[in-house]
Amino acid sequence: MLEFINRIFGRENHSSRAVAKERLRLVLVHDRAGVSPELLQTLKSELIQVISNYMEIDEHALEVSLDSNENQVALVANIPVKKMKRTVQTETA
């Protein structure tokens, strides 16, 4: 309950315990989903390529992760958009 109230007021716990707990949670989610870190990194790189055709994004702030909820795994992406592009840029050979 206290954690929920802290989230509402923007007082998230960034202690080493909380960071370690979040990392462990992510490792468990990846293990349960059967996704290797390399596959997730490849997915992130390909997402950047596709999305960059339509908008300018902050690639360094982009976050891609897997989240689990009992029987489901969700792909969660936080993609900061700097600017929308007005035209589609296609590759020419």
Side-chain angles (χ1 to χ4, degrees):
M1 182 71 171
L2 181 61
E3 185 177 327
F4 176 73
I5 292 171
N6 284 336
R7 280 188 190 172
I8 290 175
F9 293 109
R11 291 183 265 161
E12 293 192 24
N13 187 0
H14 295 288
S15 68
S16 60
R17 178 179 172 226
V19 171
K21 183 178 176 181
E22 179 62 17
R23 286 182 183 162
L24 179 59
R25 189 186 69 79
L26 289 174
V27 168
L28 290 173
V29 168
H30 289 176
D31 283 350
R32 289 179 184 156
V35 176
S36 69
E38 294 82 20
L39 178 64
L40 196 60
Q41 184 59 42
T42 301
L43 174 64
K44 183 178 174 181
S45 298
E46 291 182 5
L47 281 172
I48 290 171
Q49 285 178 336
V50 171
I51 294 170
S52 295
N53 289 333
Y54 303 97
M55 57 191 77
E56 290 181 26
I57 60 174
D58 185 357
E59 295 178 18
H60 301 291
L62 183 138
E63 296 174 1
V64 175
S65 63
L66 296 173
D67 200 2
S68 69
N69 181 4
E70 295 190 18
N71 298 333
Q72 295 180 336
V73 176
L75 175 67
V76 179
N78 182 6
I79 306 168
V81 176
K82 291 181 177 177
K83 182 180 172 185
M84 297 297 295
K85 293 183 179 178
R86 299 225 180 245
T87 59
V88 177
Q89 295 177 349
T90 58
E91 293 182 26
T92 56

